[in-house]
Amino acid sequence: MMKYRLFTIPLALLLACSAERPVTSTSRAFEGSLGTPPPKAAAPKLARYAMVVSAHPEASRIGTQILQRGGNAYDAAVAVQFALAVALPAAGNIGGGGFLLYRDRNGSAGSLDFRETAPAAASRDMYLDKQGNVVPGLSTAGPLAVGTPGTVAGMVALHKLMGKLSWPALLQPAVALATRGFPLTAKEAAGLNKTRVDFEKYNPGNVPAYVRPGGGDWQPGDTLRLPELARTLTRIRDQGRAGFYRGETARLLLNEMKRAGGLVSQADLDSYRAKWREPLRGRYRDYDVITMAPPSSGGVALLQMLQMLEPVDLAQAGYHTPLAVHYITEAERRVYADRATYLGDPDFGLVPIQKLLDVDYNRQRAGTMRSRGRATPSSDIVAGANLPSYESNETTHFSIIDALGNAVSCTTTLNGGYGSKVVVPGAGFLLNNEMDDFSVKAGTPNAYGLTGGTANSIAPGKRMLSSMTPTILTHNGKVALVTGTPGGSTIITSVLQSILGIVDYGLNAQQVVTAPRLHHQWMPDLLDVEAGALLPVAQDTLRARGYQLNPALPWGRLDIIHVQPDGTLEGGADPRGDDTALGY
């Protein structure tokens, strides 16, 4: 497994770049006139033995029951994944893919890549017109946006290697949930109503169950029943992988591809394989960091940012002060420039991970930050020199720790909310729109404003680049933090802020997930700011120093588990969604 040491730079040298005089203690830092007070939040959920934190109360309930019945964290992960496919149609899925990171009770760690792949009939310029321009919407909705799904193969691979309970026992709760139905939350009712027009547009002649029978709007508390999805889950329960990639489910999926002009074929389904990959390892302060390797960009970018921030005493600088925001933002913009240039599927080209995580390389990158806390225009920043040349807010994440000490961090997605909006007739599940996570055209931003290059161009069988960043931190050989979030391009920076909140600022788990966030991704040159993240005086100071602040609606759904020194599990469930922490 790859492990990277962090460089050190004298704090006095770094702080000389700022106009503020840093205070001398963490408590005084929070009281500074430019810093935001620690976020107010409900008390975190506490548990002694095991915990599940996911994006829906039904999924957390099912996962916790699996643990109480003697299942391990990997069993619970399978059950939670399929429960989310029922209860969270905006992002939970069997028609998408994702990444899972684990750390077992004996200290070994690994990761599973069940990211979607481009169909064999896909081509580099498939979303361009005759003039070479991107055709709007072609890669984001409808049948051409669909990549070969990986979720079912991923869960089968996880259970085969690491599961304890029987496969049918893990699938049955999701089957029952889809059959009997469940009450819609206010957020999910609003999401389904907002998407109704797209459901009708991309499913002509096949009104899916996600459209309210008889017309009109869904109301909170209405029961959503998914009988077609229940039958599909039953086939997966009884037949395993073949219940999805072969037989009746595959026939229904391929019929829809043929009818609508999609590219996924039986050969694509047969050839799809989830891949076990070595995770990346690094260190921040006195914590070991385990995170995801490419084709996720998240782990590389996260470790780069932690390397750049390691020498900065963020606790001394203060929480969300202009000084702290300066260093965090400047690290982010440099890392996202590298992401756009160098990262892609390692099975299809050279991804220079060793160089990107090299001590001297990141020292040089951090050394280009401007003095006195001033912004570096993104137009002045390019990817680092001398290296080899070469996505949705509706992803979802869950974190699990079992009574034995096994930990799972899993991020899974359809990409955009409700994916491609295509529901397979007779099978009842939504298909992804992950093809938009490729660089449809080098230098052209995708749906989330992320710019990519040729390293992430479309090719048959290739996995599209992702921002998903499932991450586990250990301290003194024991799991200390399990973290991750949806949020497209904001995933990496949100995971970073969860780590800083725990390690540097001493926040509890619920404070971390509740706290308003900040985000910069190089291009566009904007610092996104959630309401309440910065005091007005801090905003004025940052604007005066060249930062372009962009007020943004809330993003992400951080779901984390923080292990306290006495072993108590502290769950943080993001209030931006219906996220729920449960344990015992």
PDB file of all heavy atoms in Angstrom, residues 182-209:
ATOM      1  N   PHE A 182     -42.942   2.769   1.961  1.00  0.00           N
ATOM      2  CA  PHE A 182     -42.430   3.542   3.089  1.00  0.00           C
ATOM      3  C   PHE A 182     -42.910   4.981   2.947  1.00  0.00           C
ATOM      4  O   PHE A 182     -43.179   5.465   1.832  1.00  0.00           O
ATOM      5  CB  PHE A 182     -40.897   3.499   3.121  1.00  0.00           C
ATOM      6  CG  PHE A 182     -40.252   3.967   1.848  1.00  0.00           C
ATOM      7  CD1 PHE A 182     -39.843   5.286   1.688  1.00  0.00           C
ATOM      8  CD2 PHE A 182     -40.069   3.093   0.788  1.00  0.00           C
ATOM      9  CE1 PHE A 182     -39.265   5.719   0.511  1.00  0.00           C
ATOM     10  CE2 PHE A 182     -39.496   3.521  -0.407  1.00  0.00           C
ATOM     11  CZ  PHE A 182     -39.094   4.829  -0.540  1.00  0.00           C
ATOM     12  N   PRO A 183     -43.048   5.707   4.060  1.00  0.00           N
ATOM     13  CA  PRO A 183     -43.524   7.094   3.992  1.00  0.00           C
ATOM     14  C   PRO A 183     -42.442   8.025   3.447  1.00  0.00           C
ATOM     15  O   PRO A 183     -41.283   7.946   3.860  1.00  0.00           O
ATOM     16  CB  PRO A 183     -43.869   7.425   5.445  1.00  0.00           C
ATOM     17  CG  PRO A 183     -43.033   6.489   6.260  1.00  0.00           C
ATOM     18  CD  PRO A 183     -42.885   5.238   5.448  1.00  0.00           C
ATOM     19  N   LEU A 184     -42.829   8.868   2.518  1.00  0.00           N
ATOM     20  CA  LEU A 184     -41.894   9.832   1.957  1.00  0.00           C
ATOM     21  C   LEU A 184     -41.606  10.945   2.954  1.00  0.00           C
ATOM     22  O   LEU A 184     -42.509  11.460   3.612  1.00  0.00           O
ATOM     23  CB  LEU A 184     -42.466  10.445   0.677  1.00  0.00           C
ATOM     24  CG  LEU A 184     -42.520   9.547  -0.554  1.00  0.00           C
ATOM     25  CD1 LEU A 184     -43.322  10.233  -1.660  1.00  0.00           C
ATOM     26  CD2 LEU A 184     -41.117   9.217  -1.045  1.00  0.00           C
ATOM     27  N   THR A 185     -40.341  11.310   3.056  1.00  0.00           N
ATOM     28  CA  THR A 185     -39.980  12.490   3.823  1.00  0.00           C
ATOM     29  C   THR A 185     -40.312  13.740   3.003  1.00  0.00           C
ATOM     30  O   THR A 185     -40.568  13.661   1.795  1.00  0.00           O
ATOM     31  CB  THR A 185     -38.484  12.488   4.153  1.00  0.00           C
ATOM     32  OG1 THR A 185     -37.739  12.643   2.928  1.00  0.00           O
ATOM     33  CG2 THR A 185     -38.058  11.191   4.832  1.00  0.00           C
ATOM     34  N   ALA A 186     -40.305  14.871   3.641  1.00  0.00           N
ATOM     35  CA  ALA A 186     -40.585  16.124   2.932  1.00  0.00           C
ATOM     36  C   ALA A 186     -39.569  16.363   1.823  1.00  0.00           C
ATOM     37  O   ALA A 186     -39.924  16.805   0.715  1.00  0.00           O
ATOM     38  CB  ALA A 186     -40.593  17.289   3.919  1.00  0.00           C
ATOM     39  N   LYS A 187     -38.303  16.068   2.094  1.00  0.00           N
ATOM     40  CA  LYS A 187     -37.260  16.300   1.088  1.00  0.00           C
ATOM     41  C   LYS A 187     -37.431  15.376  -0.107  1.00  0.00           C
ATOM     42  O   LYS A 187     -37.277  15.799  -1.260  1.00  0.00           O
ATOM     43  CB  LYS A 187     -35.885  16.122   1.724  1.00  0.00           C
ATOM     44  CG  LYS A 187     -35.491  17.210   2.715  1.00  0.00           C
ATOM     45  CD  LYS A 187     -34.081  16.999   3.225  1.00  0.00           C
ATOM     46  CE  LYS A 187     -33.639  18.157   4.131  1.00  0.00           C
ATOM     47  NZ  LYS A 187     -34.402  18.206   5.392  1.00  0.00           N
ATOM     48  N   GLU A 188     -37.727  14.106   0.137  1.00  0.00           N
ATOM     49  CA  GLU A 188     -37.854  13.179  -0.982  1.00  0.00           C
ATOM     50  C   GLU A 188     -39.116  13.457  -1.782  1.00  0.00           C
ATOM     51  O   GLU A 188     -39.119  13.353  -3.014  1.00  0.00           O
ATOM     52  CB  GLU A 188     -37.851  11.731  -0.493  1.00  0.00           C
ATOM     53  CG  GLU A 188     -37.529  10.716  -1.570  1.00  0.00           C
ATOM     54  CD  GLU A 188     -36.179  10.954  -2.226  1.00  0.00           C
ATOM     55  OE1 GLU A 188     -35.158  10.979  -1.522  1.00  0.00           O
ATOM     56  OE2 GLU A 188     -36.161  11.125  -3.459  1.00  0.00           O
ATOM     57  N   ALA A 189     -40.216  13.834  -1.111  1.00  0.00           N
ATOM     58  CA  ALA A 189     -41.431  14.200  -1.836  1.00  0.00           C
ATOM     59  C   ALA A 189     -41.164  15.386  -2.754  1.00  0.00           C
ATOM     60  O   ALA A 189     -41.576  15.404  -3.923  1.00  0.00           O
ATOM     61  CB  ALA A 189     -42.556  14.518  -0.847  1.00  0.00           C
ATOM     62  N   ALA A 190     -40.449  16.383  -2.244  1.00  0.00           N
ATOM     63  CA  ALA A 190     -40.132  17.559  -3.054  1.00  0.00           C
ATOM     64  C   ALA A 190     -39.244  17.187  -4.232  1.00  0.00           C
ATOM     65  O   ALA A 190     -39.425  17.699  -5.344  1.00  0.00           O
ATOM     66  CB  ALA A 190     -39.451  18.621  -2.186  1.00  0.00           C
ATOM     67  N   GLY A 191     -38.290  16.285  -4.013  1.00  0.00           N
ATOM     68  CA  GLY A 191     -37.412  15.874  -5.100  1.00  0.00           C
ATOM     69  C   GLY A 191     -38.148  15.131  -6.205  1.00  0.00           C
ATOM     70  O   GLY A 191     -37.913  15.371  -7.391  1.00  0.00           O
ATOM     71  N   LEU A 192     -39.042  14.236  -5.824  1.00  0.00           N
ATOM     72  CA  LEU A 192     -39.824  13.510  -6.822  1.00  0.00           C
ATOM     73  C   LEU A 192     -40.737  14.449  -7.603  1.00  0.00           C
ATOM     74  O   LEU A 192     -40.883  14.321  -8.826  1.00  0.00           O
ATOM     75  CB  LEU A 192     -40.645  12.423  -6.137  1.00  0.00           C
ATOM     76  CG  LEU A 192     -39.862  11.239  -5.564  1.00  0.00           C
ATOM     77  CD1 LEU A 192     -40.773  10.338  -4.748  1.00  0.00           C
ATOM     78  CD2 LEU A 192     -39.181  10.441  -6.667  1.00  0.00           C
ATOM     79  N   ASN A 193     -41.352  15.393  -6.913  1.00  0.00           N
ATOM     80  CA  ASN A 193     -42.229  16.343  -7.597  1.00  0.00           C
ATOM     81  C   ASN A 193     -41.443  17.211  -8.577  1.00  0.00           C
ATOM     82  O   ASN A 193     -41.889  17.468  -9.697  1.00  0.00           O
ATOM     83  CB  ASN A 193     -42.939  17.231  -6.567  1.00  0.00           C
ATOM     84  CG  ASN A 193     -43.920  16.463  -5.707  1.00  0.00           C
ATOM     85  OD1 ASN A 193     -44.431  15.421  -6.110  1.00  0.00           O
ATOM     86  ND2 ASN A 193     -44.175  16.965  -4.511  1.00  0.00           N
ATOM     87  N   LYS A 194     -40.281  17.637  -8.178  1.00  0.00           N
ATOM     88  CA  LYS A 194     -39.440  18.477  -9.033  1.00  0.00           C
ATOM     89  C   LYS A 194     -38.990  17.731 -10.283  1.00  0.00           C
ATOM     90  O   LYS A 194     -38.792  18.341 -11.355  1.00  0.00           O
ATOM     91  CB  LYS A 194     -38.220  18.955  -8.238  1.00  0.00           C
ATOM     92  CG  LYS A 194     -37.288  19.876  -9.000  1.00  0.00           C
ATOM     93  CD  LYS A 194     -36.117  20.288  -8.119  1.00  0.00           C
ATOM     94  CE  LYS A 194     -35.138  21.186  -8.875  1.00  0.00           C
ATOM     95  NZ  LYS A 194     -33.978  21.567  -8.025  1.00  0.00           N
ATOM     96  N   THR A 195     -38.858  16.408 -10.186  1.00  0.00           N
ATOM     97  CA  THR A 195     -38.320  15.607 -11.278  1.00  0.00           C
ATOM     98  C   THR A 195     -39.421  14.988 -12.136  1.00  0.00           C
ATOM     99  O   THR A 195     -39.135  14.309 -13.127  1.00  0.00           O
ATOM    100  CB  THR A 195     -37.403  14.505 -10.707  1.00  0.00           C
ATOM    101  OG1 THR A 195     -36.538  15.070  -9.710  1.00  0.00           O
ATOM    102  CG2 THR A 195     -36.518  13.878 -11.771  1.00  0.00           C
ATOM    103  N   ARG A 196     -40.676  15.195 -11.793  1.00  0.00           N
ATOM    104  CA  ARG A 196     -41.784  14.534 -12.494  1.00  0.00           C
ATOM    105  C   ARG A 196     -41.739  14.781 -13.999  1.00  0.00           C
ATOM    106  O   ARG A 196     -41.924  13.848 -14.799  1.00  0.00           O
ATOM    107  CB  ARG A 196     -43.121  15.006 -11.937  1.00  0.00           C
ATOM    108  CG  ARG A 196     -44.326  14.320 -12.614  1.00  0.00           C
ATOM    109  CD  ARG A 196     -45.621  14.770 -11.963  1.00  0.00           C
ATOM    110  NE  ARG A 196     -45.812  16.200 -12.105  1.00  0.00           N
ATOM    111  CZ  ARG A 196     -46.739  16.903 -11.435  1.00  0.00           C
ATOM    112  NH1 ARG A 196     -47.522  16.281 -10.569  1.00  0.00           N
ATOM    113  NH2 ARG A 196     -46.854  18.202 -11.627  1.00  0.00           N
ATOM    114  N   VAL A 197     -41.486  16.009 -14.412  1.00  0.00           N
ATOM    115  CA  VAL A 197     -41.460  16.317 -15.844  1.00  0.00           C
ATOM    116  C   VAL A 197     -40.383  15.504 -16.548  1.00  0.00           C
ATOM    117  O   VAL A 197     -40.591  14.980 -17.649  1.00  0.00           O
ATOM    118  CB  VAL A 197     -41.245  17.827 -16.072  1.00  0.00           C
ATOM    119  CG1 VAL A 197     -41.023  18.124 -17.549  1.00  0.00           C
ATOM    120  CG2 VAL A 197     -42.439  18.619 -15.551  1.00  0.00           C
ATOM    121  N   ASP A 198     -39.217  15.364 -15.927  1.00  0.00           N
ATOM    122  CA  ASP A 198     -38.147  14.569 -16.528  1.00  0.00           C
ATOM    123  C   ASP A 198     -38.503  13.083 -16.558  1.00  0.00           C
ATOM    124  O   ASP A 198     -38.170  12.379 -17.527  1.00  0.00           O
ATOM    125  CB  ASP A 198     -36.844  14.770 -15.750  1.00  0.00           C
ATOM    126  CG  ASP A 198     -36.179  16.103 -16.067  1.00  0.00           C
ATOM    127  OD1 ASP A 198     -36.410  16.624 -17.169  1.00  0.00           O
ATOM    128  OD2 ASP A 198     -35.454  16.618 -15.205  1.00  0.00           O
ATOM    129  N   PHE A 199     -39.138  12.590 -15.500  1.00  0.00           N
ATOM    130  CA  PHE A 199     -39.579  11.199 -15.522  1.00  0.00           C
ATOM    131  C   PHE A 199     -40.506  10.947 -16.702  1.00  0.00           C
ATOM    132  O   PHE A 199     -40.407   9.926 -17.393  1.00  0.00           O
ATOM    133  CB  PHE A 199     -40.297  10.842 -14.218  1.00  0.00           C
ATOM    134  CG  PHE A 199     -39.388  10.652 -13.041  1.00  0.00           C
ATOM    135  CD1 PHE A 199     -39.770  11.087 -11.776  1.00  0.00           C
ATOM    136  CD2 PHE A 199     -38.161  10.018 -13.175  1.00  0.00           C
ATOM    137  CE1 PHE A 199     -38.952  10.902 -10.677  1.00  0.00           C
ATOM    138  CE2 PHE A 199     -37.328   9.834 -12.082  1.00  0.00           C
ATOM    139  CZ  PHE A 199     -37.732  10.284 -10.823  1.00  0.00           C
ATOM    140  N   GLU A 200     -41.415  11.867 -16.947  1.00  0.00           N
ATOM    141  CA  GLU A 200     -42.364  11.703 -18.047  1.00  0.00           C
ATOM    142  C   GLU A 200     -41.671  11.846 -19.404  1.00  0.00           C
ATOM    143  O   GLU A 200     -41.990  11.131 -20.358  1.00  0.00           O
ATOM    144  CB  GLU A 200     -43.493  12.716 -17.899  1.00  0.00           C
ATOM    145  CG  GLU A 200     -44.361  12.476 -16.664  1.00  0.00           C
ATOM    146  CD  GLU A 200     -45.323  13.609 -16.369  1.00  0.00           C
ATOM    147  OE1 GLU A 200     -45.134  14.716 -16.936  1.00  0.00           O
ATOM    148  OE2 GLU A 200     -46.255  13.403 -15.573  1.00  0.00           O
ATOM    149  N   LYS A 201     -40.684  12.755 -19.476  1.00  0.00           N
ATOM    150  CA  LYS A 201     -39.985  12.990 -20.736  1.00  0.00           C
ATOM    151  C   LYS A 201     -39.141  11.793 -21.149  1.00  0.00           C
ATOM    152  O   LYS A 201     -39.144  11.405 -22.330  1.00  0.00           O
ATOM    153  CB  LYS A 201     -39.099  14.233 -20.601  1.00  0.00           C
ATOM    154  CG  LYS A 201     -38.239  14.517 -21.825  1.00  0.00           C
ATOM    155  CD  LYS A 201     -37.382  15.764 -21.611  1.00  0.00           C
ATOM    156  CE  LYS A 201     -36.489  16.048 -22.808  1.00  0.00           C
ATOM    157  NZ  LYS A 201     -35.635  17.257 -22.587  1.00  0.00           N
ATOM    158  N   TYR A 202     -38.407  11.217 -20.203  1.00  0.00           N
ATOM    159  CA  TYR A 202     -37.443  10.164 -20.551  1.00  0.00           C
ATOM    160  C   TYR A 202     -38.004   8.754 -20.384  1.00  0.00           C
ATOM    161  O   TYR A 202     -37.284   7.775 -20.589  1.00  0.00           O
ATOM    162  CB  TYR A 202     -36.167  10.330 -19.719  1.00  0.00           C
ATOM    163  CG  TYR A 202     -35.418  11.593 -20.082  1.00  0.00           C
ATOM    164  CD1 TYR A 202     -35.411  12.699 -19.239  1.00  0.00           C
ATOM    165  CD2 TYR A 202     -34.749  11.690 -21.295  1.00  0.00           C
ATOM    166  CE1 TYR A 202     -34.744  13.868 -19.587  1.00  0.00           C
ATOM    167  CE2 TYR A 202     -34.078  12.853 -21.652  1.00  0.00           C
ATOM    168  CZ  TYR A 202     -34.080  13.932 -20.788  1.00  0.00           C
ATOM    169  OH  TYR A 202     -33.414  15.095 -21.137  1.00  0.00           O
ATOM    170  N   ASN A 203     -39.296   8.642 -20.044  1.00  0.00           N
ATOM    171  CA  ASN A 203     -39.941   7.341 -19.918  1.00  0.00           C
ATOM    172  C   ASN A 203     -41.286   7.354 -20.641  1.00  0.00           C
ATOM    173  O   ASN A 203     -42.333   7.094 -20.038  1.00  0.00           O
ATOM    174  CB  ASN A 203     -40.123   6.988 -18.441  1.00  0.00           C
ATOM    175  CG  ASN A 203     -38.816   6.890 -17.690  1.00  0.00           C
ATOM    176  OD1 ASN A 203     -38.154   5.863 -17.698  1.00  0.00           O
ATOM    177  ND2 ASN A 203     -38.429   7.985 -17.036  1.00  0.00           N
ATOM    178  N   PRO A 204     -41.281   7.669 -21.940  1.00  0.00           N
ATOM    179  CA  PRO A 204     -42.550   7.767 -22.669  1.00  0.00           C
ATOM    180  C   PRO A 204     -43.263   6.418 -22.720  1.00  0.00           C
ATOM    181  O   PRO A 204     -42.658   5.378 -22.995  1.00  0.00           O
ATOM    182  CB  PRO A 204     -42.101   8.203 -24.074  1.00  0.00           C
ATOM    183  CG  PRO A 204     -40.689   7.728 -24.196  1.00  0.00           C
ATOM    184  CD  PRO A 204     -40.112   7.870 -22.820  1.00  0.00           C
ATOM    185  N   GLY A 205     -44.559   6.449 -22.418  1.00  0.00           N
ATOM    186  CA  GLY A 205     -45.337   5.223 -22.443  1.00  0.00           C
ATOM    187  C   GLY A 205     -45.107   4.325 -21.250  1.00  0.00           C
ATOM    188  O   GLY A 205     -45.655   3.221 -21.182  1.00  0.00           O
ATOM    189  N   ASN A 206     -44.288   4.770 -20.307  1.00  0.00           N
ATOM    190  CA  ASN A 206     -43.983   3.966 -19.123  1.00  0.00           C
ATOM    191  C   ASN A 206     -43.919   4.889 -17.919  1.00  0.00           C
ATOM    192  O   ASN A 206     -42.864   5.417 -17.583  1.00  0.00           O
ATOM    193  CB  ASN A 206     -42.645   3.228 -19.296  1.00  0.00           C
ATOM    194  CG  ASN A 206     -42.170   2.598 -18.001  1.00  0.00           C
ATOM    195  OD1 ASN A 206     -42.941   1.941 -17.309  1.00  0.00           O
ATOM    196  ND2 ASN A 206     -40.904   2.808 -17.648  1.00  0.00           N
ATOM    197  N   VAL A 207     -45.043   5.134 -17.311  1.00  0.00           N
ATOM    198  CA  VAL A 207     -45.074   6.028 -16.156  1.00  0.00           C
ATOM    199  C   VAL A 207     -44.487   5.287 -14.960  1.00  0.00           C
ATOM    200  O   VAL A 207     -45.068   4.303 -14.476  1.00  0.00           O
ATOM    201  CB  VAL A 207     -46.511   6.480 -15.836  1.00  0.00           C
ATOM    202  CG1 VAL A 207     -46.508   7.403 -14.623  1.00  0.00           C
ATOM    203  CG2 VAL A 207     -47.116   7.174 -17.040  1.00  0.00           C
ATOM    204  N   PRO A 208     -43.320   5.693 -14.475  1.00  0.00           N
ATOM    205  CA  PRO A 208     -42.693   4.961 -13.369  1.00  0.00           C
ATOM    206  C   PRO A 208     -43.404   5.215 -12.048  1.00  0.00           C
ATOM    207  O   PRO A 208     -44.163   6.171 -11.896  1.00  0.00           O
ATOM    208  CB  PRO A 208     -41.270   5.530 -13.343  1.00  0.00           C
ATOM    209  CG  PRO A 208     -41.380   6.888 -13.938  1.00  0.00           C
ATOM    210  CD  PRO A 208     -42.484   6.809 -14.955  1.00  0.00           C
ATOM    211  N   ALA A 209     -43.131   4.350 -11.089  1.00  0.00           N
ATOM    212  CA  ALA A 209     -43.767   4.462  -9.771  1.00  0.00           C
ATOM    213  C   ALA A 209     -43.374   5.733  -9.047  1.00  0.00           C
ATOM    214  O   ALA A 209     -44.028   6.118  -8.070  1.00  0.00           O
ATOM    215  CB  ALA A 209     -43.400   3.240  -8.928  1.00  0.00           C
TER     216      ALA A 209
END
